[in-house]
Amino acid sequence: MISPAPGRVRTGTKESRVSDTTEGTGRRVYVDKQSPKAYRALVETSEAVRATAADAGLDRVLVELVNLRVSQLNGCAYCLDVHTRAALRAGETTRRLGTLAAWRDTELFTQRERAALALAEATTHPADAAAQESAYDAARRQFTDDEISAVVWVAITINAFNRVSILSKHPVRESAAREAPTR
C-alpha cells in the first residue's frame, strides 16, 4: 500500500485530505477539498451573491462589515483573516474594524451599516424572534427590498463558509510578505 501524501490519510478505500492540526480528538477533513464539487457550488453561490449585492447597490465596505460581523459571531478565524484584508482593500479603517464587535456602543457606524449588522446578526441567530423583528424593522427604514435581500444573502453565504472553515480547521498562517523583516 502506498502511503498517502502529507496532509492526506487513507480511510478504507478512499484518501482523505486532512488539516495538519492535532488539536481535539483528531485531524479534521478539509471538506472543501474532500468534496470539491459541493465546494465549487458554494463558491458559485458566493459569486452570485456578490453580484446581487453589487446590483442592489451595496457598498463593498458594507458587505465586508457583514462578512466580518458574522465571522466574529461564529468565531471563524480563517474568514476573519480573509475578510479583514478584503475590508482594508475596500477602504475600511482599522479603527472601525477594531470596534466592529462593539458596533452598538460606538458612533463610528452609519444607520445603514447598523441596520445591516443587526440584520446579519439576526440571520446568524434566527431563533431570537424579537431581535429578528427589530433588525428587520431597522432594515426596512434603511434599505430597499433588493438591498435587504442582498444583505441576508451575504450573511447566509458567509455563515456557510464559516462552517466549512471552522469544521475543517482551516489555519490562519503568517504570509511570506509579513514574515520577511522590514528594514
Side-chain angles (χ1 to χ4, degrees):
M1 172 201 262
I2 300 171
S3 55
R8 296 173 184 231
V9 172
R10 188 168 297 281
T11 56
T13 60
K14 189 173 183 180
E15 192 173 279
S16 295
R17 298 168 192 230
V18 296
S19 68
D20 58 2
T21 184
T22 55
E23 296 176 17
T25 59
R27 295 187 297 176
R28 302 285 181 100
V29 171
Y30 282 137
V31 297
D32 51 332
K33 305 264 190 266
Q34 191 65 34
S35 305
K37 186 176 178 180
Y39 186 71
R40 275 193 306 276
L42 183 57
V43 169
E44 288 171 12
T45 298
S46 175
E47 291 167 357
V49 168
R50 182 180 290 219
T52 296
D55 291 347
L58 293 183
D59 178 77
R60 190 74 210 152
V61 169
L62 185 136
V63 169
E64 291 305 335
L65 288 173
V66 168
N67 285 329
L68 284 165
R69 185 62 188 132
V70 170
S71 297
Q72 286 175 339
L73 293 171
N74 289 325
C76 184
Y78 185 84
C79 292
L80 284 166
D81 181 55
V82 167
H83 291 285
T84 295
R85 288 183 281 120
L88 290 168
R89 281 192 309 271
E92 186 53 89
T93 67
T94 56
R95 183 175 185 211
R96 285 174 23 114
L97 291 175
T99 59
L100 180 59
W103 64 268
R104 286 181 175 88
D105 299 326
T106 75
E107 295 180 5
L108 298 177
F109 299 94
T110 68
Q111 289 303 311
R112 281 177 60 84
E113 290 166 339
R114 290 172 176 281
L117 293 169
L119 191 56
E121 290 179 359
T123 303
T124 302
H125 299 296
D128 186 345
Q132 191 178 99
E133 286 305 314
S134 176
Y136 210 89
D137 289 344
R140 275 265 169 236
R141 290 189 297 275
Q142 296 295 324
F143 296 115
T144 66
D145 289 355
D146 286 343
E147 291 170 324
I148 289 172
S149 181
V151 168
V152 170
W153 275 110
V154 169
I156 289 169
T157 306
I158 192 63
N159 268 291
F161 278 106
N162 287 170
R163 268 72 179 162
V164 168
S165 290
I166 291 167
L167 293 171
S168 297
K169 285 217 173 267
H170 287 157
V172 176
R173 294 192 170 102
E174 194 68 31
S175 74
R178 289 186 297 203
E179 289 176 357
T182 57
R183 296 180 202 249

